[in-house]
Amino acid sequence: MHSMNESMSSLRYLASINNIDAMNLLAQRYEIQKSYLLAEKLYLKIIVQTKNKNAKKIARKNLFTFYKKNQLWKKIDYFLNEDDPKDWTYLSQLHNSQLLTALAQEDVIDLTQKNILTVGVDFVSSVKQLDVDNMCKVNIVPVARSYSSLTQSIKQIYSFSKHPFLSGLPICFTKPLYINKSKLPCLENVNSAIKCDFTQLAQISDWPDNIRHLMVIAEGGKANVHQGVMYLANESGFNVFKHEFMHLFGFDDEYEISKSKQKKRCNLNALNLRYSQLTLKRNTEVRFKNLKPVASCNGSKIKAYKPVNELTLMQYLDKGLPKKYQIKLTKNINKYLSMFPVFAMNFAQSTKTRFWYLYAAKLGFKGALIQVALLKEAEGNITTAIKLLEQSGDWPLAQSNLARLYYEQMQYKKARKYFLLASTKSLDSFAQYFYGKMLFNGQGGKTDKEAAMHYFKLSAAQNNPLAMNYLNSTPVL
């Protein structure tokens, strides 16, 4: 200890008289002692004071290594100049989520040899460069906004490729797409769900066809799935990925969900029920054999059940994927893919542009077909609108719009059919009112005034103004 203190004292003295070798050694000692500010100060002093070009170059390399080791990338960005190695600038741009400057072919080779993630080799920086497999059923584009998120996306893809079940699904990942943060701002608060603003990305019209989903890796925040986009944080492990991946294709959480989510998901008429692993029953109904209650809808009038006894990854991230869930997932992907939102719907909501609704419709997503149908109706192309709506005829919104269009076209039999479907499947209050009206007037079928009053009352119970006004002005039958 005594000799070490003497050594440090000697180094301090020599450094005080601007001995470059002593200053370098002392800075390294400070690093070992975790006296980082002192180390940084000495490295900067060497750069400023030395006249020797080689010594200055070594000092800059030492300072870069120091900043890199301590992940001080913003300081690196400020510190760099045009004479520094290009890989320093490249790494700084990636870590600081900046626009990448062009690299010559020899620079790319150099980066690859240094085992650094390389644009054009390990990832792309333009949507034009995305390697979409048009023969693949589901293409997913990983989107990264920094070097660390690029690394994380590559790890997730690798883990997927090694999973004994998931790797056999018709799922393909493109190379990660690097987008700097100025073009893709995201909310990344640790206690909130990750959410990104896609407005700028949606302005790009060069996106290749046949992309269904994006996997966005953010710096922080809670993982989630929204409108065909899977959001993950840098710290999200593969277990989190698997859980969110299941959400893309209709699976529900098996822990208690928020009240706002319960309103949508814990509904006996919810569209998702056909594709979820859960079965919903009223609380008053007896428990069922071969079904295990879960907490998803706790606090509501509905009880949720899963089809297996064991704990699963939809409740606890470290649990497994039961065989029944594997079968359900495979069926959803191979048979019901058109029911699940695609990323283009997220873009459409950001821009309200026709392009993205058409992109989503081209992928067969029924929600997009409905939106395109409404656009066609606005143009006066009723025939095409009806054709598109019929392709989505099992969606309540399609049913109610088909009923309305058929009614306006005076095709009352078809209108009556779809008003009934929308009345019973989604409890659409306007559909209930107009179905009641058709029953009352005998349009499209037999007159049944007693049944008509039943539907008027169902509609009025949902505070539908047409039904309430009708009942208030009509004598009791």
Side-chain angles (χ1 to χ4, degrees), residues 19-37:
N19 182 292
I20 300 300
D21 291 337
M23 291 165 74
N24 269 316
L25 284 171
L26 184 57
Q28 290 167 19
R29 292 279 179 87
Y30 282 146
E31 279 195 67
I32 294 170
Q33 295 175 356
K34 298 185 178 179
S35 299
Y36 297 128
L37 288 176

Side-chain angles (χ1 to χ4, degrees), residues 25-257:
L25 284 171
L26 184 57
Q28 290 167 19
R29 292 279 179 87
Y30 282 146
E31 279 195 67
I32 294 170
Q33 295 175 356
K34 298 185 178 179
S35 299
Y36 297 128
L37 288 176
L38 291 174
E40 180 185 13
K41 184 177 180 181
L42 271 175
Y43 285 133
L44 288 168
K45 185 178 178 181
I46 295 168
I47 292 170
V48 171
Q49 292 192 355
T50 184
K51 302 296 184 182
N52 183 287
K53 287 185 178 181
N54 190 53
K56 190 183 287 287
K57 185 176 180 181
I58 293 171
R60 290 187 69 82
K61 183 177 181 180
N62 286 338
L63 184 57
F64 174 81
T65 303
F66 167 74
Y67 283 150
K68 180 182 175 183
K69 188 191 307 178
N70 293 284
Q71 296 293 302
L72 299 172
W73 292 101
K74 288 186 178 179
K75 288 195 172 186
I76 288 177
D77 183 44
Y78 178 76
F79 150 81
L80 289 174
N81 65 38
E82 60 184 14
D83 295 324
D84 289 321
K86 290 185 178 180
D87 58 292
W88 294 10
T89 301
Y90 172 79
L91 285 170
S92 175
Q93 289 171 344
L94 278 178
H95 281 280
N96 288 302
S97 192
Q98 298 169 345
L99 184 66
L100 295 180
T101 53
L103 292 174
Q105 184 60 37
E106 57 267 25
D107 299 322
V108 171
I109 294 171
D110 183 53
L111 290 169
T112 304
Q113 289 174 344
K114 291 180 180 178
N115 202 27
I116 296 172
L117 292 183
T118 309
V119 62
V121 178
D122 303 296
F123 66 95
V124 299
S125 58
S126 166
V127 296
K128 290 181 180 179
Q129 301 167 329
L130 287 170
D131 51 334
V132 175
D133 183 351
N134 288 315
M135 300 303 292
C136 192
K137 204 171 189 70
V138 177
N139 279 290
I140 300 176
V141 176
V143 179
R145 300 156 65 241
S146 68
Y147 194 92
S148 57
S149 55
L150 280 169
T151 301
Q152 182 65 6
S153 64
I154 290 169
K155 286 180 180 177
Q156 297 286 16
I157 296 169
Y158 178 79
S159 297
F160 186 94
S161 71
K162 296 301 179 183
H163 192 274
F165 166 68
L166 295 177
S167 61
L169 294 172
I171 307 291
C172 301
F173 291 89
T174 67
K175 287 179 180 177
L177 171 65
Y178 170 76
I179 300 291
N180 66 74
K181 290 180 181 178
S182 64
K183 289 188 177 180
L184 183 60
C186 296
L187 296 175
E188 303 167 286
N189 300 327
V190 65
N191 294 318
S192 303
I194 302 165
K195 184 179 180 182
C196 297
D197 181 354
F198 292 105
T199 304
Q200 292 188 65
L201 287 191
Q203 303 300 326
I204 302 171
S205 59
D206 295 326
W207 287 83
D209 292 339
N210 204 32
I211 299 170
R212 297 197 77 88
H213 302 295
L214 303 184
M215 179 180 76
V216 176
I217 310 289
E219 302 302 309
K222 293 184 177 180
N224 67 96
V225 165
H226 179 69
Q227 287 285 52
V229 177
M230 175 167 58
Y231 295 100
L232 300 173
N234 267 340
E235 63 185 19
S236 300
F238 189 57
N239 285 340
V240 176
F241 169 93
K242 288 186 291 183
H243 179 94
E244 301 302 334
F245 178 81
M246 300 295 282
H247 283 317
L248 284 175
F249 303 104
F251 279 67
D252 284 304
D253 292 317
E254 292 173 0
Y255 52 80
E256 185 174 343
I257 60 177

Side-chain angles (χ1 to χ4, degrees), residues 138-386:
V138 177
N139 279 290
I140 300 176
V141 176
V143 179
R145 300 156 65 241
S146 68
Y147 194 92
S148 57
S149 55
L150 280 169
T151 301
Q152 182 65 6
S153 64
I154 290 169
K155 286 180 180 177
Q156 297 286 16
I157 296 169
Y158 178 79
S159 297
F160 186 94
S161 71
K162 296 301 179 183
H163 192 274
F165 166 68
L166 295 177
S167 61
L169 294 172
I171 307 291
C172 301
F173 291 89
T174 67
K175 287 179 180 177
L177 171 65
Y178 170 76
I179 300 291
N180 66 74
K181 290 180 181 178
S182 64
K183 289 188 177 180
L184 183 60
C186 296
L187 296 175
E188 303 167 286
N189 300 327
V190 65
N191 294 318
S192 303
I194 302 165
K195 184 179 180 182
C196 297
D197 181 354
F198 292 105
T199 304
Q200 292 188 65
L201 287 191
Q203 303 300 326
I204 302 171
S205 59
D206 295 326
W207 287 83
D209 292 339
N210 204 32
I211 299 170
R212 297 197 77 88
H213 302 295
L214 303 184
M215 179 180 76
V216 176
I217 310 289
E219 302 302 309
K222 293 184 177 180
N224 67 96
V225 165
H226 179 69
Q227 287 285 52
V229 177
M230 175 167 58
Y231 295 100
L232 300 173
N234 267 340
E235 63 185 19
S236 300
F238 189 57
N239 285 340
V240 176
F241 169 93
K242 288 186 291 183
H243 179 94
E244 301 302 334
F245 178 81
M246 300 295 282
H247 283 317
L248 284 175
F249 303 104
F251 279 67
D252 284 304
D253 292 317
E254 292 173 0
Y255 52 80
E256 185 174 343
I257 60 177
S258 66
K259 299 303 177 186
S260 60
K261 286 185 178 179
Q262 284 187 359
K263 287 181 180 179
K264 295 179 180 179
R265 311 297 284 185
C266 301
N267 181 339
L268 294 177
N269 295 294
L271 187 63
N272 63 286
L273 272 183
R274 190 187 309 175
Y275 318 104
S276 173
Q277 83 281 21
L278 300 181
T279 299
L280 301 186
K281 299 291 182 182
R282 292 184 178 85
N283 281 338
T284 53
E285 295 183 68
V286 297
R287 292 194 175 187
F288 301 86
K289 290 182 179 180
N290 303 320
L291 292 176
K292 184 79 171 178
V294 293
S296 308
C297 299
N298 283 4
S300 72
K301 296 179 180 180
I302 300 297
K303 189 68 180 175
Y305 297 86
K306 62 182 179 181
V308 294
N309 287 321
E310 68 260 42
L311 297 174
T312 81
L313 79 168
M314 300 314 295
Q315 183 176 10
Y316 297 104
L317 295 175
D318 60 342
K319 300 304 177 184
L321 182 60
K323 185 67 176 178
K324 284 187 177 181
Y325 286 28
Q326 294 179 21
I327 294 171
K328 183 76 174 177
L329 177 62
T330 302
K331 185 176 181 180
N332 282 356
I333 292 173
N334 289 325
K335 191 173 180 180
Y336 300 121
L337 204 54
S338 63
M339 302 303 292
F340 307 119
V342 296
F343 89 97
M345 293 302 289
N346 218 311
F347 280 28
Q349 289 185 348
S350 297
T351 59
K352 307 298 180 187
T353 56
R354 181 191 197 93
F355 175 86
W356 288 111
Y357 286 122
L358 290 170
Y359 187 106
K362 191 174 180 180
L363 290 169
F365 174 55
K366 292 187 176 183
L369 291 173
I370 295 170
Q371 295 299 325
V372 175
L374 296 177
L375 291 173
K376 293 296 182 182
E377 181 194 357
E379 296 170 356
N381 193 340
I382 305 302
T383 301
T384 301
I386 289 175

